[in-house]
Amino acid sequence: MRLALFQPDIPQNVGACIRLSACFGVELHVIEPTGFHFDDRAMKRAALDYGPLSHLTRHPDWDAFQAARKTGRLVLFTTKGAERLDDFVFQPDDTLLFGRESAGAPDFVHAASDARVFIPIRPETRSLNLSVSAGVALFQALRTTGRLP
């Protein structure tokens, strides 16, 4: 199981996902360019001392991420998803991909995905924060595949 962030805008979200990676023992892939300098102090503050425990790989672009991607499905989380999180059947080698905070994922990322999933929320709300979504999705994926630490 892996997390991947497509061109994230907010360093604190990446920092929180570094903590997720460390706490749950999963790889984190960041697909650049990002909307911030990667050594941003806010990201480091959000990650605290979890960085060394995380399995972080940075990819210079989408093509490099795709070339380096391991086996398994690419599961895109999107507000335009086709299947509810609680109905989706995860596999242990899935990569959970999250789009950019400001714009989501472009059409070519949607096209490359093996599945599209959404987290059900109240209809009068727009979306969850990226790192909150990643935490909810990762916990559900690990729980349903019997891979929680």
Side-chain angles (χ1 to χ4, degrees):
M1 190 78 55
R2 293 166 291 281
L3 282 179
L5 307 178
F6 179 83
Q7 299 180 353
D9 293 317
I10 302 171
Q12 293 88 340
N13 282 331
V14 175
C17 287
I18 288 171
R19 291 179 75 169
L20 281 173
S21 167
C23 290
F24 287 109
V26 299
E27 297 173 13
L28 173 62
H29 297 264
V30 175
I31 303 158
E32 297 181 354
T34 61
F36 56 91
H37 294 292
F38 210 84
D39 61 353
D40 190 290
R41 284 184 10 197
M43 183 188 65
K44 288 181 180 178
R45 186 169 48 249
L48 296 174
D49 57 348
Y50 288 89
L53 298 173
S54 177
H55 308 281
L56 174 65
T57 303
R58 293 168 55 189
H59 303 277
D61 56 35
W62 175 254
D63 291 336
F65 167 72
Q66 284 288 72
R69 200 161 65 85
K70 297 177 181 176
T71 60
R73 300 179 303 176
L74 191 59
V75 180
L76 176 63
F77 283 79
T78 172
T79 57
K80 301 175 181 87
E83 192 166 352
R84 287 174 57 107
L85 171 64
D86 51 328
D87 291 334
F88 188 74
V89 177
F90 290 95
Q91 297 173 3
D93 61 350
D94 285 341
T95 297
L96 313 182
L97 175 62
F98 297 84
R100 189 173 198 146
E101 295 97 323
S102 61
D107 290 342
F108 67 88
V109 173
H110 279 264
S113 299
D114 298 300
R116 293 179 323 165
V117 176
F118 71 95
I119 299 170
I121 57 175
R122 295 173 51 199
E124 63 270 19
T125 60
R126 191 173 64 245
S127 64
L128 292 168
N129 171 280
L130 171 69
S131 58
V132 170
S133 296
V136 167
L138 180 61
F139 183 84
Q140 175 72 355
L142 292 171
R143 183 188 71 78
T144 59
T145 59
R147 300 184 65 100
L148 282 173

